[in-house]
Amino acid sequence: GGMQLGAFMEDGGVDYRIVERGSRVGTFWETYPRHDQLISLNKRYTSRPREEFDEFNLRHDWNSLLPAAAAAAGVGGRSTGARGARGGGGASPRFTDFSSRMFPAREEYLAYLRAYHRFHRLKVQFEWEVARVSRRRIGDHEGFALQSSAGRFLTCKYLIVATALGRPYVPDMEGIELADGYESVDVREEAYKDQRVLVLGLGNAAFEAAGRAQATAGYVHMIG
């Protein structure tokens, strides 16, 4: 979300900054999804050429971020891919040019996000963990003041929160401490050999974990 908004603000000449706790783009995707495979379809072909049916193709593209207006002008050609740089021309990167798999690998999406960041020249301040947000009057406008965990400060008129997964959800139930959380569960198929496995939840993470265990488990049951 932050990168998508950043691309539009960069294109519109808005004075903005994206603050990121990590030291580089896409640190979330260095770990998640835990089983290294996206469940979102990589629809590369629609029987309609990109040059004539670009909007139609984007509606079937579950993974690509939208191009900003200026970058959309070059959308007829292939994207500049992982080597892309906006100054070199070409269209905003499309994820369909980064993977040929129907269900892509996590590393492929990470490479795509980093190419998108380079292409749109997004203004990101890395290793900037927000510790506190407060109201601050800026001129005649009510704005915000941000303080980082390292004691640095930023002020802005408008603040948009576009964070990813912050912390795991732990159900309030007796014995939950005996279960393995998604963030730490063993992802090796051999870990579930001939075991009975119970997965709590019916969301994406639950089906991801159940699918991995099913390859070797004796039985997999899901409740939620």
Side-chain angles (χ1 to χ4, degrees), residues 18-23 124-134 136 144-155:
I18 300 172
V19 293
E20 163 62 37
R21 179 171 56 184
S23 60
V124 184
Q125 291 189 219
F126 294 104
E127 297 182 321
W128 216 100
E129 181 180 26
V130 178
R132 181 179 179 181
V133 178
S134 57
R136 172 76 61 85
F144 300 88
L146 283 70
Q147 180 179 352
S148 77
S149 56
R152 292 175 289 176
F153 291 88
L154 281 176
T155 59

Side-chain angles (χ1 to χ4, degrees), residues 74-135:
V75 85
R78 286 184 62 84
S79 81
T80 50
R83 299 183 302 277
R86 189 166 181 174
S92 177
R94 292 285 182 86
F95 182 68
T96 49
D97 293 330
F98 282 73
S99 176
S100 60
R101 312 183 201 198
M102 178 64 79
F103 295 99
R106 171 179 54 79
E107 292 86 353
E108 292 171 327
Y109 198 67
L110 180 59
Y112 164 72
L113 290 178
R114 289 175 176 169
Y116 188 90
H117 166 253
R118 289 193 299 270
F119 180 87
H120 289 282
R121 298 176 179 174
L122 301 180
K123 297 180 178 68
V124 184
Q125 291 189 219
F126 294 104
E127 297 182 321
W128 216 100
E129 181 180 26
V130 178
R132 181 179 179 181
V133 178
S134 57
R135 281 288 192 176

Side-chain angles (χ1 to χ4, degrees), residues 203-223:
N204 292 348
F207 280 99
E208 179 189 333
R212 177 60 59 89
Q214 191 172 20
T216 56
Y219 184 80
V220 177
H221 188 69
M222 301 180 68
I223 60 174

Side-chain angles (χ1 to χ4, degrees), residues 9-224:
M9 288 189 283
E10 179 71 29
D11 181 70
V14 177
D15 182 12
Y16 75 97
R17 287 295 183 276
I18 300 172
V19 293
E20 163 62 37
R21 179 171 56 184
S23 60
R24 53 198 172 274
V25 171
T27 52
F28 173 88
W29 294 92
E30 293 177 357
T31 303
Y32 299 98
R34 288 293 317 286
H35 298 82
D36 299 329
Q37 186 180 60
L38 278 65
I39 64 169
S40 49
L41 296 177
N42 182 32
K43 186 68 174 174
R44 301 176 66 211
Y45 304 109
T46 63
S47 298
R48 292 170 173 81
R50 181 181 294 185
E51 294 84 352
E52 301 176 42
F53 297 93
D54 190 61
E55 183 177 345
F56 177 88
N57 290 336
L58 267 176
R59 291 177 181 177
H60 291 76
D61 185 344
W62 290 20
N63 302 293
S64 293
L65 299 177
L66 296 175
V75 85
R78 286 184 62 84
S79 81
T80 50
R83 299 183 302 277
R86 189 166 181 174
S92 177
R94 292 285 182 86
F95 182 68
T96 49
D97 293 330
F98 282 73
S99 176
S100 60
R101 312 183 201 198
M102 178 64 79
F103 295 99
R106 171 179 54 79
E107 292 86 353
E108 292 171 327
Y109 198 67
L110 180 59
Y112 164 72
L113 290 178
R114 289 175 176 169
Y116 188 90
H117 166 253
R118 289 193 299 270
F119 180 87
H120 289 282
R121 298 176 179 174
L122 301 180
K123 297 180 178 68
V124 184
Q125 291 189 219
F126 294 104
E127 297 182 321
W128 216 100
E129 181 180 26
V130 178
R132 181 179 179 181
V133 178
S134 57
R135 281 288 192 176
R136 172 76 61 85
R137 192 160 191 82
I138 303 174
D140 60 352
H141 189 93
E142 192 72 23
F144 300 88
L146 283 70
Q147 180 179 352
S148 77
S149 56
R152 292 175 289 176
F153 291 88
L154 281 176
T155 59
C156 58
K157 288 186 176 181
Y158 306 99
L159 176 63
I160 300 172
V161 179
T163 54
L165 177 68
R167 59 179 61 89
Y169 170 70
V170 181
D172 183 15
M173 63 174 65
E174 184 178 352
I176 192 62
E177 70 278 2
L178 302 176
D180 291 322
Y182 174 75
E183 71 283 357
S184 59
V185 69
D186 197 325
V187 298
R188 299 171 302 135
E189 290 184 350
E190 57 267 26
Y192 306 98
K193 185 176 181 180
D194 203 27
Q195 301 294 310
R196 294 183 178 182
V197 179
L198 172 64
V199 179
L200 301 177
L202 297 174
N204 292 348
F207 280 99
E208 179 189 333
R212 177 60 59 89
Q214 191 172 20
T216 56
Y219 184 80
V220 177
H221 188 69
M222 301 180 68
I223 60 174

